[in-house]
Amino acid sequence: MRGFGITNLLFDSHAPFQLTVSAAADAAFSPQQPPNQRDLLVMIFVRGGLDGLNLLVPFNTSVNDQNLYYNKLRPTLNVPAPNSTAARKASDLDGRFALHPDAARGAAGVNVPNAHGSDTGGFHALFQRGDLAIVDACGSPDVTGSHFDTELYVDLGGKNNQGGWLARYLDAAGEPNDALAVAPQWGIPPSLLSLTGRSAVAVPDPENFGPQWKTRQWTSHENASALEAAQRVLLEQMYQRGGDFIEQVGRSALQNYDMLRDVLETSYTPSAPYLTDASHVADYGHFGHSLKTVAQLAKSSLANPLRVATIDVGGGYDTHDNQGVADWSGNSRYCRLITNLANNIKAFCDDMNADPAWRGRFVVVVVSEFGRVLYENASGGTDHGAGNVMLVVGSHGNIRGGQVYGEWPGLKHFGFNDGLQITTDYRRVLADILTARMNVGVQQVNSVIFPGLNYASGLGIGVPR
């Protein structure tokens, strides 16, 4: 809906559209939870190419890996091993892999410069309590050297697919077309583009949620309110004229807008400290605010509960130069990026778990389009690579965390673009979660959500209901 500015819709005049949610159906589930025995799915896309090799450090995978990582491939960009004498060093997870220290801020023994209230252990704490599973050497079979191509293929769930995989998941699950899907940012990502009439709501600024034609910038508050009301009346008249596809989608969008406006106009006090201070992060706090918005909407007892949320993380992950290692006194670029991810995801989990109705009812998946090359370049950075880490976060036993999954290929043999070899298709990880926690069958995965994947079994990360 371009004029009203509350959502991005993909219109297809040939697509069927039916509103199947009734008052009786609404009463059949608790509005505090996603219905139909599914967890809330939160998809976090780190766009730009996260350097997973410095997030999850292979400090003791083999003697050959150690020698390559610390001496030949990354002599100035390596993260000091947990058993080193460095003041800031990696935090051991399982005796083989360790986390960058800023992914473990607040954990025992971790040196924490520029302390913040959100330093509560980050990914290390989630891993230790079994709420974080890490898949290494993960990636897309359609990886290219281009951000744009590979991001799109990840969003669509394959190179030749139409529409986004998240929208197809809602189709496969049989969710109604007005099932609430939110992107707390400017714009709807391709993963939510629908060919069956689904709409998704963008929430770029919860405190100013509403029409985006900037009326309040050039007229008084009273006049602006009158103009916005008049615009709303025109839209309502337009969408009430009949039962065509576009009119039904328009009415659904206005209904979702009214529902979310009532929530977002209410102040929200999170149960955990998010990191939104620009002094600590490179994205002006957008990621922390986005996750807080998801928690607020999820816990608001909406009649149309939140099923899916997706967030694009920015801030400069395309680290071709001056990447930085672990130094907050000098080049803190990578430190800020990792702190932003780890602290805010930990805060979101703690915020959601503070509500008993949400414990064990949400899954967060973190993916990036590709990793970086194995070796540092002459500009103190890393170029586009291939395999990467993928994170799955849950709570209270809905995932089998506390493990590093996937087949580790080692650093001796380079993969595509001289990156880490890809040994696990990222879609297999998603299918694992969808079949275990989202009440989706294997046949639906292979025919609708990820056609052509030929998925048979996952890695065992999701705990079946």
Side-chain angles (χ1 to χ4, degrees), residues 75-91:
T76 67
L77 279 188
N78 67 72
V79 179
N83 57 358
S84 74
T85 59
R88 300 210 76 214
K89 53 191 176 183
S91 181

Side-chain angles (χ1 to χ4, degrees), residues 33-348:
Q33 304 174 7
N36 304 321
Q37 294 301 303
R38 297 187 180 95
D39 291 354
L40 169 65
L41 178 59
V42 181
M43 178 71 178
I44 296 172
F45 199 146
V46 183
R47 297 187 188 269
L50 167 69
D51 182 13
L53 199 60
N54 273 16
L55 170 60
L56 186 68
V57 180
F59 79 96
N60 193 31
T61 49
S62 72
V63 173
N64 183 68
D65 284 351
Q66 291 175 15
N67 180 54
L68 288 171
Y69 179 79
Y70 290 104
N71 300 319
K72 295 182 180 179
L73 297 176
R74 298 193 173 197
T76 67
L77 279 188
N78 67 72
V79 179
N83 57 358
S84 74
T85 59
R88 300 210 76 214
K89 53 191 176 183
S91 181
D92 189 7
L93 287 180
D94 62 358
R96 301 177 69 235
F97 295 96
L99 287 171
H100 187 282
D102 287 305
R105 294 169 65 92
V110 177
N111 181 298
V112 181
N114 289 14
H116 187 269
S118 62
D119 297 333
T120 60
F123 290 151
H124 189 278
L126 292 174
F127 189 91
Q128 292 301 316
R129 73 188 192 196
D131 290 343
L132 169 64
I134 303 174
V135 186
D136 213 345
C138 199
S140 168
D142 299 311
V143 64
T144 74
S146 163
H147 292 292
F148 311 105
D149 288 345
T150 309
E151 285 179 13
L152 183 61
Y153 300 153
V154 171
D155 277 318
L156 302 184
K159 186 174 183 179
N160 300 313
N161 291 332
Q162 299 295 313
W165 77 267
L166 281 172
R168 294 198 304 275
Y169 150 60
L170 294 172
D171 288 341
E175 293 286 5
N177 276 32
D178 67 342
L180 185 59
V182 169
Q185 59 191 33
W186 286 102
I188 304 298
S191 59
L192 281 172
L193 290 180
S194 171
L195 299 180
T196 59
R198 295 189 178 280
S199 62
V201 185
V203 186
D205 181 5
E207 295 181 358
N208 296 289
F209 182 65
Q212 300 297 326
W213 50 77
K214 310 300 181 185
T215 310
R216 297 183 186 277
Q217 295 181 5
W218 54 268
T219 188
S220 67
H221 177 78
E222 293 78 11
N223 290 339
S225 297
L227 288 170
E228 290 172 1
Q231 177 83 2
R232 172 62 182 262
V233 169
L234 291 174
L235 288 172
E236 287 177 337
Q237 292 175 349
M238 180 172 64
Y239 294 132
Q240 292 293 338
R241 290 181 302 184
D244 289 344
F245 168 77
I246 192 170
E247 292 164 337
Q248 293 186 61
V249 173
R251 289 198 297 271
S252 174
L254 290 174
Q255 291 168 3
N256 273 338
Y257 164 69
D258 290 336
M259 178 181 63
L260 296 187
R261 179 191 59 191
D262 292 340
V263 172
L264 296 173
E265 287 181 349
T266 303
S267 62
Y268 175 67
T269 302
S271 299
Y274 290 86
L275 178 56
T276 57
D277 296 343
S279 61
H280 286 72
V281 297
D283 72 340
Y284 307 101
H286 294 315
F287 181 50
H289 284 299
S290 293
L291 281 173
K292 185 166 67 172
T293 297
V294 174
Q296 180 180 7
L297 292 175
K299 295 195 291 183
S300 295
S301 298
L302 297 171
N304 183 8
L306 182 63
R307 271 77 155 189
V308 166
T310 181
I311 303 171
D312 293 336
V313 185
Y317 289 86
D318 194 16
T319 52
H320 287 284
D321 58 85
N322 298 313
Q323 178 172 314
V325 183
D327 182 10
W328 280 84
S329 299
N331 183 359
S332 62
R333 179 180 181 183
Y334 194 76
C335 301
R336 293 169 187 265
L337 295 172
I338 297 306
T339 298
N340 196 20
L341 273 182
N343 281 30
N344 280 313
I345 291 174
K346 173 63 161 51
F348 175 78

